[in-house]
Amino acid sequence: MTEKIIDLRSDTVTKPSAAMRRAMAEADVGDDVFMEDPTVNRLQRRAAEIFGRQAGLFVPSGSMGNLVCIMAQTQPGQEVICDAAGHIYSYEMAAMSALAGVLPRVVNTANGIMPWEQISRAIRPRAYYRAQTALVSLENTHNMAGGTVYPTRLAHSICDHAHDAGLKVHLDGARIFNAAVHLGQDVVEITRKFDSVQFCLSKGLGAPVGSMIVGSSALIDRCRSIRKMLGGGMRQAGVIAAAGLLALENGPARLHVDHENARVLADGLAGIAGIRVDPATVQTNIVIYDIRETKLKSSQFLEKICRRNVLGVALDAERVRMVTHLDVDRSDVENAIGAIDEVLRLGA
Ligand SMILES: *Cc1c(COP(=O)(O)O)cnc(C)c1O
């Protein structure tokens, strides 16, 4: 057992590195509502460049990024097609209904991946007396399905079909760089057909705060106004953008380590009696496993492993999620597996 707390609850728990803290302290700043913060401007230009888009916008959170993109591309009374386990539907405070005034039209999937046939059945008929579908939103990687990745050809064909049907397509790409690493493809290639893309700096990339939106200049101009309306206009935001820049430049290159560690974790868990997980389904940095056969509820299980300094989250009474990230290394993962094994074998 280690003294270190092995925090596998989420890749959001990563703390800024010494280099990030230095860059934050030394950041050139200005008033970003006047669009005069040089560091924010640099971050936005770099994000746009990396994604091959005209413009980027720094937002305080992924939730705000998704909401801003929805509001920019819908009108109240319209519908957004998304999957039932998706973050925008299940984990964003019903913001699209409460604030954008749109109705989520959900599709159930086994693995977070929506085939076009399913999406097309959810499109409302063109009739003046029916709410109209405006937007389709995909999530890549898919958080609650266990970090699953959209095959690029499928994502492209969904965008093509949706555009033919007159719909916009948003990508909740909170962990898009994890998808890129898994696919061995550039983010430009895997996101180029989406009208709007949101990705998080504050997860596996390691920044303390913030997300980015990228898209056309016209879209980003609209998004900037909506961000202000929602109270997301920040002033000397260069102090956090400085960390975001380092995350964006240096974060993607080490995500493969998180993926290897997630596979080691899944392999280790698969060998423990009472735990069910198929390591072959682990594509990125998220491992979801079933503990039903231990006869423990997730909350009881988590309490026991917490006493051994290992943290995870409960998805429901029988399923636990663990996420690898830059603040846990291979030996932490091995220690976590050892602690879980001991808890289940010794019952303590
Ligand atoms: C984390 C996450 C977000 C955004 O979360 P915030 O906490 O608002 O930054 C959006 N979508 C997915 C899939 C996520 O995992």
Side-chain angles (χ1 to χ4, degrees), residues 61-63 66 87 92 139 143 172 174-175 198 200 203 211:
S61 69
S63 299
N66 286 335
H87 199 279
E92 296 185 9
E139 186 173 314
N143 186 341
D172 178 355
R175 296 185 180 83
Q198 180 279 124
C200 293
K203 293 190 169 156
S211 276

Side-chain angles (χ1 to χ4, degrees), residues 79-86 88-90 96 103-109 114 118-119 121-124 137:
E79 297 194 359
V80 173
I81 297 172
C82 55
D83 82 280
I88 63 162
Y89 180 62
S90 295
M96 79 163 97
L103 184 71
R105 176 67 57 182
V106 296
V107 160
N108 286 301
T109 72
M114 297 189 287
Q118 241 184 337
I119 295 170
R121 281 196 295 273
I123 297 174
R124 297 298 94 189
S137 182

